[in-house]
PDB file of all heavy atoms in Angstrom:
ATOM      1  N   ALA A   1       0.822  -1.213   0.000  1.00 98.00           N
ATOM      2  CA  ALA A   1       0.000   0.000   0.000  1.00 98.00           C
ATOM      3  C   ALA A   1       0.853   1.258   0.000  1.00 98.00           C
ATOM      4  O   ALA A   1       0.462   2.282  -0.571  1.00 98.00           O
ATOM      5  CB  ALA A   1      -0.933  -0.014   1.210  1.00 98.00           C
ATOM      6  N   GLN A   2       2.019   1.216   0.627  1.00 97.00           N
ATOM      7  CA  GLN A   2       2.883   2.404   0.665  1.00 97.00           C
ATOM      8  C   GLN A   2       3.385   2.755  -0.728  1.00 97.00           C
ATOM      9  O   GLN A   2       3.537   3.935  -1.064  1.00 97.00           O
ATOM     10  CB  GLN A   2       4.065   2.160   1.618  1.00 97.00           C
ATOM     11  CG  GLN A   2       3.699   2.101   3.083  1.00 97.00           C
ATOM     12  CD  GLN A   2       3.112   0.760   3.495  1.00 97.00           C
ATOM     13  OE1 GLN A   2       3.046  -0.185   2.703  1.00 97.00           O
ATOM     14  NE2 GLN A   2       2.698   0.663   4.740  1.00 97.00           N
ATOM     15  N   THR A   3       3.649   1.752  -1.542  1.00 97.00           N
ATOM     16  CA  THR A   3       4.138   2.004  -2.895  1.00 97.00           C
ATOM     17  C   THR A   3       3.119   2.795  -3.703  1.00 97.00           C
ATOM     18  O   THR A   3       3.487   3.659  -4.516  1.00 97.00           O
ATOM     19  CB  THR A   3       4.445   0.672  -3.604  1.00 97.00           C
ATOM     20  OG1 THR A   3       5.487  -0.008  -2.893  1.00 97.00           O
ATOM     21  CG2 THR A   3       4.869   0.894  -5.049  1.00 97.00           C
ATOM     22  N   VAL A   4       1.832   2.521  -3.471  1.00 97.00           N
ATOM     23  CA  VAL A   4       0.777   3.176  -4.255  1.00 97.00           C
ATOM     24  C   VAL A   4       0.063   4.259  -3.440  1.00 97.00           C
ATOM     25  O   VAL A   4      -1.075   4.623  -3.732  1.00 97.00           O
ATOM     26  CB  VAL A   4      -0.222   2.140  -4.804  1.00 97.00           C
ATOM     27  CG1 VAL A   4       0.489   1.206  -5.773  1.00 97.00           C
ATOM     28  CG2 VAL A   4      -0.896   1.354  -3.692  1.00 97.00           C
ATOM     29  N   ARG A   5       0.738   4.753  -2.393  1.00 97.00           N
ATOM     30  CA  ARG A   5       0.288   5.920  -1.610  1.00 97.00           C
ATOM     31  C   ARG A   5      -0.958   5.655  -0.776  1.00 97.00           C
ATOM     32  O   ARG A   5      -1.608   6.591  -0.327  1.00 97.00           O
ATOM     33  CB  ARG A   5       0.018   7.117  -2.530  1.00 97.00           C
ATOM     34  CG  ARG A   5       1.175   7.530  -3.399  1.00 97.00           C
ATOM     35  CD  ARG A   5       0.744   8.622  -4.366  1.00 97.00           C
ATOM     36  NE  ARG A   5       1.823   9.028  -5.263  1.00 97.00           N
ATOM     37  CZ  ARG A   5       1.639   9.675  -6.402  1.00 97.00           C
ATOM     38  NH1 ARG A   5       0.397   9.988  -6.778  1.00 97.00           N
ATOM     39  NH2 ARG A   5       2.648  10.017  -7.163  1.00 97.00           N
ATOM     40  N   ARG A   6      -1.286   4.393  -0.538  1.00 97.00           N
ATOM     41  CA  ARG A   6      -2.491   4.090   0.210  1.00 97.00           C
ATOM     42  C   ARG A   6      -2.213   3.697   1.651  1.00 97.00           C
ATOM     43  O   ARG A   6      -3.088   3.202   2.353  1.00 97.00           O
ATOM     44  CB  ARG A   6      -3.296   2.997  -0.510  1.00 97.00           C
ATOM     45  CG  ARG A   6      -3.906   3.467  -1.817  1.00 97.00           C
ATOM     46  CD  ARG A   6      -4.924   4.558  -1.635  1.00 97.00           C
ATOM     47  NE  ARG A   6      -6.068   4.087  -0.855  1.00 97.00           N
ATOM     48  CZ  ARG A   6      -6.965   4.875  -0.276  1.00 97.00           C
ATOM     49  NH1 ARG A   6      -6.854   6.186  -0.355  1.00 97.00           N
ATOM     50  NH2 ARG A   6      -7.968   4.367   0.390  1.00 97.00           N
ATOM     51  N   ASP A   7      -0.979   3.894   2.100  1.00 97.00           N
ATOM     52  CA  ASP A   7      -0.635   3.913   3.514  1.00 97.00           C
ATOM     53  C   ASP A   7       0.535   4.856   3.665  1.00 97.00           C
ATOM     54  O   ASP A   7       1.227   5.171   2.699  1.00 97.00           O
ATOM     55  CB  ASP A   7      -0.317   2.516   4.056  1.00 97.00           C
ATOM     56  CG  ASP A   7      -0.581   2.394   5.553  1.00 97.00           C
ATOM     57  OD1 ASP A   7      -0.864   3.438   6.192  1.00 97.00           O
ATOM     58  OD2 ASP A   7      -0.500   1.287   6.093  1.00 97.00           O
ATOM     59  N   ILE A   8       0.757   5.304   4.880  1.00 95.00           N
ATOM     60  CA  ILE A   8       1.668   6.424   5.115  1.00 95.00           C
ATOM     61  C   ILE A   8       3.114   6.067   4.806  1.00 95.00           C
ATOM     62  O   ILE A   8       3.641   5.047   5.262  1.00 95.00           O
ATOM     63  CB  ILE A   8       1.566   6.890   6.586  1.00 95.00           C
ATOM     64  CG1 ILE A   8       0.173   7.448   6.875  1.00 95.00           C
ATOM     65  CG2 ILE A   8       2.637   7.928   6.899  1.00 95.00           C
ATOM     66  CD1 ILE A   8      -0.164   8.707   6.129  1.00 95.00           C
ATOM     67  N   VAL A   9       3.751   6.916   3.990  1.00 92.00           N
ATOM     68  CA  VAL A   9       5.204   6.942   3.852  1.00 92.00           C
ATOM     69  C   VAL A   9       5.643   8.393   4.045  1.00 92.00           C
ATOM     70  O   VAL A   9       4.982   9.312   3.561  1.00 92.00           O
ATOM     71  CB  VAL A   9       5.685   6.401   2.491  1.00 92.00           C
ATOM     72  CG1 VAL A   9       5.571   4.894   2.432  1.00 92.00           C
ATOM     73  CG2 VAL A   9       4.935   7.042   1.350  1.00 92.00           C
ATOM     74  N   PRO A  10       6.733   8.608   4.776  1.00 90.00           N
ATOM     75  CA  PRO A  10       7.161   9.980   5.071  1.00 90.00           C
ATOM     76  C   PRO A  10       7.448  10.781   3.812  1.00 90.00           C
ATOM     77  O   PRO A  10       8.004  10.281   2.838  1.00 90.00           O
ATOM     78  CB  PRO A  10       8.445   9.773   5.894  1.00 90.00           C
ATOM     79  CG  PRO A  10       8.321   8.395   6.474  1.00 90.00           C
ATOM     80  CD  PRO A  10       7.592   7.597   5.433  1.00 90.00           C
ATOM     81  N   GLY A  11       7.023  12.028   3.821  1.00 89.00           N
ATOM     82  CA  GLY A  11       7.346  12.952   2.747  1.00 89.00           C
ATOM     83  C   GLY A  11       6.463  12.852   1.523  1.00 89.00           C
ATOM     84  O   GLY A  11       6.712  13.534   0.523  1.00 89.00           O
ATOM     85  N   VAL A  12       5.427  12.010   1.570  1.00 90.00           N
ATOM     86  CA  VAL A  12       4.542  11.817   0.416  1.00 90.00           C
ATOM     87  C   VAL A  12       3.099  11.933   0.901  1.00 90.00           C
ATOM     88  O   VAL A  12       2.749  11.442   1.979  1.00 90.00           O
ATOM     89  CB  VAL A  12       4.756  10.430  -0.225  1.00 90.00           C
ATOM     90  CG1 VAL A  12       3.854  10.248  -1.431  1.00 90.00           C
ATOM     91  CG2 VAL A  12       6.221  10.228  -0.597  1.00 90.00           C
ATOM     92  N   ARG A  13       2.256  12.569   0.098  1.00 91.00           N
ATOM     93  CA  ARG A  13       0.833  12.588   0.424  1.00 91.00           C
ATOM     94  C   ARG A  13       0.299  11.169   0.256  1.00 91.00           C
ATOM     95  O   ARG A  13       0.159  10.670  -0.855  1.00 91.00           O
ATOM     96  CB  ARG A  13       0.080  13.555  -0.482  1.00 91.00           C
ATOM     97  CG  ARG A  13      -1.399  13.668  -0.114  1.00 91.00           C
ATOM     98  CD  ARG A  13      -2.165  14.504  -1.118  1.00 91.00           C
ATOM     99  NE  ARG A  13      -3.599  14.488  -0.822  1.00 91.00           N
ATOM    100  CZ  ARG A  13      -4.544  14.934  -1.636  1.00 91.00           C
ATOM    101  NH1 ARG A  13      -4.201  15.462  -2.803  1.00 91.00           N
ATOM    102  NH2 ARG A  13      -5.810  14.876  -1.295  1.00 91.00           N
ATOM    103  N   SER A  14       0.040  10.540   1.360  1.00 95.00           N
ATOM    104  CA  SER A  14      -0.293   9.116   1.323  1.00 95.00           C
ATOM    105  C   SER A  14      -1.143   8.778   2.540  1.00 95.00           C
ATOM    106  O   SER A  14      -1.372   9.594   3.416  1.00 95.00           O
ATOM    107  CB  SER A  14       0.996   8.273   1.329  1.00 95.00           C
ATOM    108  OG  SER A  14       1.835   8.655   2.424  1.00 95.00           O
ATOM    109  N   GLY A  15      -1.631   7.534   2.572  1.00 95.00           N
ATOM    110  CA  GLY A  15      -2.476   7.102   3.681  1.00 95.00           C
ATOM    111  C   GLY A  15      -3.892   6.813   3.205  1.00 95.00           C
ATOM    112  O   GLY A  15      -4.142   6.561   2.016  1.00 95.00           O
ATOM    113  N   GLY A  16      -4.831   6.896   4.132  1.00 93.00           N
ATOM    114  CA  GLY A  16      -6.215   6.580   3.814  1.00 93.00           C
ATOM    115  C   GLY A  16      -6.838   7.481   2.775  1.00 93.00           C
ATOM    116  O   GLY A  16      -7.843   7.114   2.151  1.00 93.00           O
ATOM    117  N   ARG A  17      -6.261   8.670   2.561  1.00 93.00           N
ATOM    118  CA  ARG A  17      -6.760   9.577   1.528  1.00 93.00           C
ATOM    119  C   ARG A  17      -5.769   9.762   0.390  1.00 93.00           C
ATOM    120  O   ARG A  17      -5.910  10.667  -0.431  1.00 93.00           O
ATOM    121  CB  ARG A  17      -7.102  10.935   2.151  1.00 93.00           C
ATOM    122  CG  ARG A  17      -8.224  10.843   3.189  1.00 93.00           C
ATOM    123  CD  ARG A  17      -8.643  12.200   3.698  1.00 93.00           C
ATOM    124  NE  ARG A  17      -9.735  12.082   4.660  1.00 93.00           N
ATOM    125  CZ  ARG A  17     -10.334  13.116   5.257  1.00 93.00           C
ATOM    126  NH1 ARG A  17      -9.951  14.353   4.962  1.00 93.00           N
ATOM    127  NH2 ARG A  17     -11.310  12.920   6.119  1.00 93.00           N
ATOM    128  N   GLY A  18      -4.779   8.894   0.336  1.00 95.00           N
ATOM    129  CA  GLY A  18      -3.801   8.971  -0.738  1.00 95.00           C
ATOM    130  C   GLY A  18      -4.398   8.593  -2.082  1.00 95.00           C
ATOM    131  O   GLY A  18      -5.347   7.809  -2.160  1.00 95.00           O
ATOM    132  N   VAL A  19      -3.859   9.140  -3.147  1.00 96.00           N
ATOM    133  CA  VAL A  19      -4.343   8.888  -4.511  1.00 96.00           C
ATOM    134  C   VAL A  19      -3.281   8.111  -5.264  1.00 96.00           C
ATOM    135  O   VAL A  19      -2.131   8.551  -5.387  1.00 96.00           O
ATOM    136  CB  VAL A  19      -4.667  10.210  -5.241  1.00 96.00           C
ATOM    137  CG1 VAL A  19      -5.100   9.934  -6.676  1.00 96.00           C
ATOM    138  CG2 VAL A  19      -5.739  10.980  -4.479  1.00 96.00           C
ATOM    139  N   ARG A  20      -3.659   6.980  -5.802  1.00 97.00           N
ATOM    140  CA  ARG A  20      -2.730   6.118  -6.524  1.00 97.00           C
ATOM    141  C   ARG A  20      -2.185   6.790  -7.792  1.00 97.00           C
ATOM    142  O   ARG A  20      -2.835   7.629  -8.391  1.00 97.00           O
ATOM    143  CB  ARG A  20      -3.431   4.797  -6.912  1.00 97.00           C
ATOM    144  CG  ARG A  20      -3.725   3.864  -5.765  1.00 97.00           C
ATOM    145  CD  ARG A  20      -4.601   2.703  -6.199  1.00 97.00           C
ATOM    146  NE  ARG A  20      -5.956   3.166  -6.503  1.00 97.00           N
ATOM    147  CZ  ARG A  20      -6.546   3.015  -7.673  1.00 97.00           C
ATOM    148  NH1 ARG A  20      -5.914   2.414  -8.666  1.00 97.00           N
ATOM    149  NH2 ARG A  20      -7.777   3.454  -7.869  1.00 97.00           N
ATOM    150  N   GLN A  21      -1.000   6.336  -8.193  1.00 95.00           N
ATOM    151  CA  GLN A  21      -0.417   6.786  -9.445  1.00 95.00           C
ATOM    152  C   GLN A  21      -1.197   6.193 -10.618  1.00 95.00           C
ATOM    153  O   GLN A  21      -1.929   5.218 -10.481  1.00 95.00           O
ATOM    154  CB  GLN A  21       1.053   6.351  -9.534  1.00 95.00           C
ATOM    155  CG  GLN A  21       1.915   6.798  -8.357  1.00 95.00           C
ATOM    156  CD  GLN A  21       1.961   5.788  -7.218  1.00 95.00           C
ATOM    157  OE1 GLN A  21       0.977   5.112  -6.931  1.00 95.00           O
ATOM    158  NE2 GLN A  21       3.109   5.706  -6.551  1.00 95.00           N
ATOM    159  N   ASP A  22      -1.027   6.771 -11.796  1.00 93.00           N
ATOM    160  CA  ASP A  22      -1.729   6.280 -12.987  1.00 93.00           C
ATOM    161  C   ASP A  22      -1.424   4.812 -13.268  1.00 93.00           C
ATOM    162  O   ASP A  22      -2.274   4.077 -13.775  1.00 93.00           O
ATOM    163  CB  ASP A  22      -1.367   7.124 -14.209  1.00 93.00           C
ATOM    164  CG  ASP A  22      -2.024   8.506 -14.178  1.00 93.00           C
ATOM    165  OD1 ASP A  22      -2.921   8.707 -13.356  1.00 93.00           O
ATOM    166  OD2 ASP A  22      -1.622   9.362 -14.987  1.00 93.00           O
ATOM    167  N   TRP A  23      -0.195   4.384 -12.986  1.00 93.00           N
ATOM    168  CA  TRP A  23       0.176   3.006 -13.292  1.00 93.00           C
ATOM    169  C   TRP A  23      -0.355   2.011 -12.261  1.00 93.00           C
ATOM    170  O   TRP A  23      -0.315   0.796 -12.495  1.00 93.00           O
ATOM    171  CB  TRP A  23       1.699   2.858 -13.418  1.00 93.00           C
ATOM    172  CG  TRP A  23       2.504   3.456 -12.288  1.00 93.00           C
ATOM    173  CD1 TRP A  23       3.142   4.664 -12.288  1.00 93.00           C
ATOM    174  CD2 TRP A  23       2.750   2.869 -11.000  1.00 93.00           C
ATOM    175  NE1 TRP A  23       3.773   4.882 -11.090  1.00 93.00           N
ATOM    176  CE2 TRP A  23       3.551   3.794 -10.278  1.00 93.00           C
ATOM    177  CE3 TRP A  23       2.388   1.679 -10.382  1.00 93.00           C
ATOM    178  CZ2 TRP A  23       3.993   3.553  -8.973  1.00 93.00           C
ATOM    179  CZ3 TRP A  23       2.816   1.426  -9.078  1.00 93.00           C
ATOM    180  CH2 TRP A  23       3.608   2.354  -8.394  1.00 93.00           C
ATOM    181  N   ALA A  24      -0.859   2.489 -11.142  1.00 95.00           N
ATOM    182  CA  ALA A  24      -1.310   1.603 -10.063  1.00 95.00           C
ATOM    183  C   ALA A  24      -2.762   1.187 -10.290  1.00 95.00           C
ATOM    184  O   ALA A  24      -3.674   1.550  -9.544  1.00 95.00           O
ATOM    185  CB  ALA A  24      -1.133   2.284  -8.707  1.00 95.00           C
ATOM    186  N   THR A  25      -2.990   0.447 -11.361  1.00 96.00           N
ATOM    187  CA  THR A  25      -4.334   0.056 -11.750  1.00 96.00           C
ATOM    188  C   THR A  25      -4.822  -1.132 -10.915  1.00 96.00           C
ATOM    189  O   THR A  25      -4.027  -1.871 -10.333  1.00 96.00           O
ATOM    190  CB  THR A  25      -4.365  -0.312 -13.237  1.00 96.00           C
ATOM    191  OG1 THR A  25      -3.295  -1.225 -13.510  1.00 96.00           O
ATOM    192  CG2 THR A  25      -4.194   0.923 -14.087  1.00 96.00           C
ATOM    193  N   LEU A  26      -6.130  -1.306 -10.897  1.00 98.00           N
ATOM    194  CA  LEU A  26      -6.730  -2.377 -10.118  1.00 98.00           C
ATOM    195  C   LEU A  26      -6.897  -3.642 -10.960  1.00 98.00           C
ATOM    196  O   LEU A  26      -6.861  -3.601 -12.189  1.00 98.00           O
ATOM    197  CB  LEU A  26      -8.080  -1.937  -9.563  1.00 98.00           C
ATOM    198  CG  LEU A  26      -8.092  -0.680  -8.683  1.00 98.00           C
ATOM    199  CD1 LEU A  26      -9.468  -0.487  -8.066  1.00 98.00           C
ATOM    200  CD2 LEU A  26      -7.016  -0.725  -7.607  1.00 98.00           C
ATOM    201  N   LEU A  27      -7.122  -4.745 -10.290  1.00 98.00           N
ATOM    202  CA  LEU A  27      -7.188  -6.053 -10.932  1.00 98.00           C
ATOM    203  C   LEU A  27      -8.129  -6.112 -12.137  1.00 98.00           C
ATOM    204  O   LEU A  27      -7.773  -6.721 -13.162  1.00 98.00           O
ATOM    205  CB  LEU A  27      -7.573  -7.100  -9.881  1.00 98.00           C
ATOM    206  CG  LEU A  27      -7.738  -8.539 -10.337  1.00 98.00           C
ATOM    207  CD1 LEU A  27      -6.490  -9.038 -11.065  1.00 98.00           C
ATOM    208  CD2 LEU A  27      -8.057  -9.427  -9.146  1.00 98.00           C
ATOM    209  N   PRO A  28      -9.342  -5.532 -12.095  1.00 98.00           N
ATOM    210  CA  PRO A  28     -10.205  -5.625 -13.283  1.00 98.00           C
ATOM    211  C   PRO A  28      -9.586  -5.046 -14.543  1.00 98.00           C
ATOM    212  O   PRO A  28      -9.892  -5.510 -15.653  1.00 98.00           O
ATOM    213  CB  PRO A  28     -11.451  -4.831 -12.867  1.00 98.00           C
ATOM    214  CG  PRO A  28     -11.494  -4.953 -11.383  1.00 98.00           C
ATOM    215  CD  PRO A  28     -10.058  -4.909 -10.958  1.00 98.00           C
ATOM    216  N   VAL A  29      -8.729  -4.062 -14.398  1.00 97.00           N
ATOM    217  CA  VAL A  29      -8.074  -3.479 -15.570  1.00 97.00           C
ATOM    218  C   VAL A  29      -7.136  -4.499 -16.213  1.00 97.00           C
ATOM    219  O   VAL A  29      -6.984  -4.537 -17.446  1.00 97.00           O
ATOM    220  CB  VAL A  29      -7.318  -2.192 -15.173  1.00 97.00           C
ATOM    221  CG1 VAL A  29      -6.535  -1.634 -16.355  1.00 97.00           C
ATOM    222  CG2 VAL A  29      -8.285  -1.155 -14.632  1.00 97.00           C
ATOM    223  N   HIS A  30      -6.508  -5.329 -15.395  1.00 96.00           N
ATOM    224  CA  HIS A  30      -5.652  -6.386 -15.932  1.00 96.00           C
ATOM    225  C   HIS A  30      -6.477  -7.501 -16.580  1.00 96.00           C
ATOM    226  O   HIS A  30      -6.027  -8.146 -17.524  1.00 96.00           O
ATOM    227  CB  HIS A  30      -4.795  -6.982 -14.812  1.00 96.00           C
ATOM    228  CG  HIS A  30      -3.895  -6.008 -14.132  1.00 96.00           C
ATOM    229  ND1 HIS A  30      -2.711  -5.581 -14.686  1.00 96.00           N
ATOM    230  CD2 HIS A  30      -3.997  -5.377 -12.937  1.00 96.00           C
ATOM    231  CE1 HIS A  30      -2.121  -4.718 -13.859  1.00 96.00           C
ATOM    232  NE2 HIS A  30      -2.890  -4.588 -12.791  1.00 96.00           N
ATOM    233  N   LEU A  31      -7.666  -7.743 -16.061  1.00 98.00           N
ATOM    234  CA  LEU A  31      -8.475  -8.863 -16.538  1.00 98.00           C
ATOM    235  C   LEU A  31      -9.298  -8.536 -17.777  1.00 98.00           C
ATOM    236  O   LEU A  31      -9.629  -9.423 -18.558  1.00 98.00           O
ATOM    237  CB  LEU A  31      -9.411  -9.335 -15.421  1.00 98.00           C
ATOM    238  CG  LEU A  31      -8.738  -9.930 -14.177  1.00 98.00           C
ATOM    239  CD1 LEU A  31      -9.786 -10.281 -13.134  1.00 98.00           C
ATOM    240  CD2 LEU A  31      -7.896 -11.151 -14.536  1.00 98.00           C
ATOM    241  N   LYS A  32      -9.626  -7.280 -17.955  1.00 97.00           N
ATOM    242  CA  LYS A  32     -10.511  -6.914 -19.065  1.00 97.00           C
ATOM    243  C   LYS A  32      -9.945  -7.320 -20.426  1.00 97.00           C
ATOM    244  O   LYS A  32     -10.684  -7.877 -21.263  1.00 97.00           O
ATOM    245  CB  LYS A  32     -10.809  -5.409 -19.028  1.00 97.00           C
ATOM    246  CG  LYS A  32     -11.956  -4.991 -19.942  1.00 97.00           C
ATOM    247  CD  LYS A  32     -12.296  -3.529 -19.774  1.00 97.00           C
ATOM    248  CE  LYS A  32     -12.910  -3.225 -18.421  1.00 97.00           C
ATOM    249  NZ  LYS A  32     -14.286  -3.781 -18.268  1.00 97.00           N
TER     250      LYS A  32
END
């Protein structure tokens, strides 16, 4: 989760309100 900003890493807007990078797509995108 830290890699995709969805848990806290120092110096980056991240955590429960973090926004994933464009490349951090979800599983359905891989399956479609």
Side-chain angles (χ1 to χ4, degrees):
Q2 290 79 5
T3 298
V4 296
R5 304 174 182 161
R6 291 296 297 164
D7 206 352
I8 295 294
V9 285
V12 181
R13 184 187 174 192
S14 53
R17 297 186 179 182
V19 177
R20 289 171 290 121
Q21 305 91 325
D22 287 347
W23 49 260
T25 49
L26 303 187
L27 178 54
V29 175
H30 300 282
L31 295 177
K32 193 175 292 290

